[in-house]
Amino acid sequence: INAETWGWTACFKMRLRKPIVAFIICACAYVCVKKARKLSANELALFLNLTRANQDRLVAFMVEIGTMLVGLTKPVLAFKIIRTWLSSRGIAHNVPYGPAARQCLDVFYPVLPKTSNEGNLRPVLVFIHGGAWAFGDKKHYALIGETYRARGLVTVVANYRKYPFGDVHDMTNDVIDILRWVESNIKRFNGDPNKVVICGHSAGAHLSVFAAYKLAHLACEQPTIKIPKVLAVIGLSGVYDISVHYHVVETGRGVQLVSPMAIAMGGIDKFFDASPHNLFEKKALQNELDFIQHLPPLFFLHGTSDTTAPHRHSTSFHELLVKHGVKSQIFLYEDVTHEDAVLLLFDDSDSSSLKRDLWSIICSVTSQATPPLTQGA
């Protein structure tokens, strides 16, 4: 199923222009799926007898292979990502924010004159990648860092302890630690710790919103603790109700057994405690909403053609938040898929309304003037 998903994604959702390579990917996916469906009960048991962590490492390896194949079919994009990530000017690579190997980030920063003073500090964009809480790496998103660096922002693109190296609460705590690191260190890179916006895609959107929820609760329960200042949370194609996503979306697509989401959440019985939508709804029913005064404004950007994480995740959560007085806005885009929502950010132009809206949000909450797009800064 994973191979089939990646094959069809490569051929259609990413709009490839290499028909021969696309055909090879689809053929390999078809063979993998046909063979998988012919596994005997004993053969299937051998796989299932692997520890779940080893199963997921195997699936992660398959996805990384799929990523490389997609890179081969889009060589120009792959070259731009590699060239950007290997660059040293205005980029600090693999800066640690914790002791674990995955607790590191890249900082893309405008190179300012040495005579610049604190008044020249730039707004900060923190980007949290997606990948079903188990896949992906910050280096794949280097073009996002470079695009917004070129617009005068300090951009932080971070890794976190994805499954099997951490569960959803480890991941969310990593996002909080990233924000704490930004608050304490971003001035070294000409960033303003008082003008921070966090943006996540897919699982990264879930983790960003969940981190904001936890920080708001902490600020309410322990007012003497210093909380990192975040001006806005932006969710791109996010999942906010884990139970609905598992029982309706993943089960409907037939991927619930190979998706690492359930195990990354700690099991089906832990879905409620990993769902910002459900947790907020519970607090509303209990009339325990004092924490919302500490929530930053939330913005949800979602494509109506998203079948991986349907836009009802964003619309239903947005409606719940607005009903109870939380500042929230939603933007929906026709013909934008799950992958499009992040791939559009790789483009260094303003050709998409999603990217224009994202930039307008950042400018409005940070009071940043809207400069023309430049290729270097």
Side-chain angles (χ1 to χ4, degrees):
I1 295 172
N2 251 299
E4 184 178 43
T5 300
W6 275 91
W8 287 111
T9 295
C11 293
F12 296 104
K13 292 186 177 180
M14 301 187 80
R15 302 189 178 92
L16 302 182
R17 298 179 181 177
K18 304 284 185 179
I20 295 177
V21 179
F23 173 79
I24 293 172
I25 293 175
C26 267
C28 291
Y30 177 77
V31 170
C32 289
V33 172
K34 292 292 284 185
K35 286 189 175 295
R37 287 172 178 164
K38 290 181 180 179
L39 284 174
S40 68
N42 289 336
E43 290 171 325
L44 184 60
L46 285 175
F47 175 73
L48 294 178
N49 281 335
L50 291 172
T51 66
R52 181 60 200 244
N54 284 333
Q55 290 177 35
D56 286 323
R57 285 189 178 95
L58 178 60
V59 173
F61 175 73
M62 292 169 61
V63 172
E64 291 300 328
I65 294 297
T67 302
M68 287 188 282
L69 287 173
V70 170
L72 290 174
T73 60
K74 294 184 79 70
V76 175
L77 177 60
F79 174 75
K80 285 182 178 179
I81 292 172
I82 294 170
R83 181 186 63 186
T84 299
W85 194 77
L86 291 178
S87 174
S88 58
R89 178 174 170 78
I91 306 176
H93 292 291
N94 299 318
V95 180
Y97 64 86
R102 288 282 305 175
Q103 292 176 310
C104 61
L105 49 83
D106 295 337
V107 185
F108 298 75
Y109 57 96
V111 181
L112 301 179
K114 292 182 179 180
T115 56
S116 295
N117 54 39
E118 196 165 296
N120 295 104
L121 295 178
R122 304 299 179 91
V124 180
L125 174 65
V126 177
F127 182 79
I128 308 298
H129 71 78
W133 299 270
F135 313 125
D137 190 273
K138 60 182 173 56
K139 63 178 175 288
H140 300 154
Y141 301 89
L143 284 179
I144 294 176
E146 177 58 24
T147 294
Y148 289 98
R149 185 193 77 87
R151 291 193 168 205
L153 303 184
V154 176
T155 308
V156 175
V157 183
N159 276 344
Y160 50 89
R161 289 172 293 172
K162 58 189 181 181
Y163 184 81
F165 306 105
D167 64 14
V168 65
H169 298 289
D170 295 321
M171 300 177 214
T172 308
N173 289 336
D174 280 356
V175 174
I176 292 173
D177 286 342
I178 291 163
L179 294 173
R180 293 191 188 282
W181 181 93
V182 167
E183 182 181 54
S184 300
N185 298 277
I186 206 64
K187 279 187 178 180
R188 290 163 37 200
F189 303 95
N190 305 319
D192 188 339
N194 294 310
K195 292 186 176 182
V196 178
V197 175
I198 184 169
C199 174
H201 173 251
S202 191
H206 165 267
L207 296 173
S208 299
V209 171
F210 202 5
Y213 175 89
K214 286 189 173 185
L215 285 171
H217 265 281
L218 186 62
C220 188
E221 295 168 358
Q222 302 182 48
T224 59
I225 293 181
K226 186 172 175 58
I227 302 298
K229 185 175 182 179
V230 176
L231 296 182
V233 180
I234 303 172
L236 304 175
S237 304
V239 172
Y240 309 107
D241 188 327
I242 301 300
S243 182
V244 166
H245 193 67
Y246 181 84
H247 292 293
V248 178
V249 181
E250 288 197 342
T251 301
R253 294 171 59 219
V255 300
Q256 77 278 13
L257 296 181
V258 294
S259 168
M261 184 186 75
I263 194 70
M265 300 300 136
I268 294 176
D269 60 328
K270 302 292 180 62
F271 283 176
F272 189 96
D273 291 332
S275 300
H277 186 130
N278 294 340
L279 292 171
F280 188 93
E281 192 169 43
K282 179 182 177 181
K283 290 294 183 182
L285 290 173
Q286 295 173 339
N287 198 26
E288 298 176 356
L289 292 175
D290 290 345
F291 73 94
I292 67 173
Q293 63 184 304
H294 302 288
L295 274 176
L298 289 97
F299 299 87
F300 301 99
L301 284 65
H302 220 127
T304 58
S305 296
D306 190 337
T307 57
T308 303
H311 69 277
R312 63 176 173 268
H313 275 297
S314 291
T315 54
S316 60
F317 191 34
H318 162 72
E319 290 167 1
L320 176 66
L321 294 171
V322 170
K323 178 181 177 181
H324 294 285
V326 177
K327 293 180 180 178
S328 174
Q329 292 187 48
I330 188 167
F331 302 79
L332 299 177
Y333 307 92
E334 293 184 4
D335 301 322
V336 171
T337 67
H338 194 69
E339 295 77 16
D340 289 339
V342 69
L343 288 175
L344 289 170
L345 304 187
F346 288 10
D347 186 7
D348 57 6
S349 70
D350 269 341
S351 57
S352 72
S353 56
L354 183 150
K355 189 172 182 182
R356 290 194 297 272
D357 288 339
L358 178 62
W359 181 238
S360 294
I361 292 167
I362 295 170
C363 291
S364 66
V365 299
T366 63
S367 301
Q368 165 89 337
T370 307
L373 183 64
T374 58
Q375 297 303 314

